[in-house]
Amino acid sequence: MIDGVEINQLDIIPDERGLILKMLRNDDSFFQDFGEIYFSAIYPDVVKGWHIHTKMTLNYAVISGSIKLVLYDDREGSPTRGEVQEIFLGRENYKLVTIPPMIWNGFKGIGTEPAIVANCSTIPHDPDEIKRMDPFENEIPYSWELKNG
């Protein structure tokens, strides 16, 4: 696991009317700050990444569909520098993943339906604190191809 990344189990509360999918409360031990919340839809087999935030902490949860979230630690001095971490998220694995600043991340829609990723970030979006990199042509030691076996 990449140093500083947290994964917390989230509650799904079903009843005869439907579901409540909890995500983040300001009294959770892992809550840091509120900047904004937004939802990102991703189609199956599409990759959104790579990107890195210099100040923002991300809090991802997948409320519909499924994704493969991939993290890469390129931080100088980090005990996990050079490590890649895959996390599969969706209704079957409903968790909150907290990603600190300076961790490269991206995700791929998996399965047969679009996925909806919720992000409760610690600061509002600022285009000057995000960097992007092509998902396929870069120095990150990762392939987005389907792995069988």
Side-chain angles (χ1 to χ4, degrees):
M1 188 151 147
I2 292 179
D3 186 52
V5 173
E6 288 188 47
I7 302 174
N8 289 284
Q9 183 65 46
L10 295 175
D11 292 330
I12 299 176
I13 303 168
D15 68 19
E16 60 193 29
R17 300 165 296 165
L19 301 171
I20 293 174
L21 290 89
K22 294 208 169 190
M23 183 174 167
L24 189 60
R25 293 169 51 116
N26 69 354
D27 60 354
D28 285 331
S29 63
F30 44 87
F31 176 80
Q32 294 179 31
D33 206 352
F34 177 77
E36 74 172 306
I37 189 165
Y38 65 85
F39 302 92
S40 180
I42 185 165
Y43 297 118
D45 299 321
V46 172
V47 174
K48 288 189 176 186
W50 294 97
H51 69 279
I52 192 170
H53 290 276
T54 60
K55 299 175 190 167
M56 180 187 292
T57 295
L58 309 170
N59 289 287
Y60 286 150
V62 177
I63 61 171
S64 178
S66 297
I67 67 164
K68 175 174 59 171
L69 172 64
V70 184
L71 311 175
Y72 177 65
D73 187 356
D74 192 31
R75 299 172 293 175
E76 291 207 23
S78 171
T80 54
R81 185 172 190 190
E83 287 190 28
V84 172
Q85 182 176 357
E86 287 183 332
I87 307 161
F88 292 87
L89 299 171
R91 192 71 53 84
E92 300 81 20
N93 194 34
Y94 188 57
K95 298 185 185 290
L96 182 76
V97 178
T98 302
I99 306 166
M102 302 309 294
I103 301 287
W104 286 100
N105 67 95
F107 48 87
K108 179 179 181 179
I110 58 175
T112 59
E113 62 181 273
I116 299 176
V117 181
N119 178 25
C120 183
S121 63
T122 56
I123 63 172
H125 175 73
D126 175 358
D128 294 330
E129 71 85 48
I130 187 172
K131 297 176 189 170
R132 298 182 188 278
M133 187 174 9
D134 185 279
F136 304 104
E137 305 211 7
N138 57 67
E139 300 300 316
I140 295 175
Y142 187 78
S143 171
W144 290 99
E145 294 179 22
L146 177 66
K147 296 176 177 89
N148 290 311

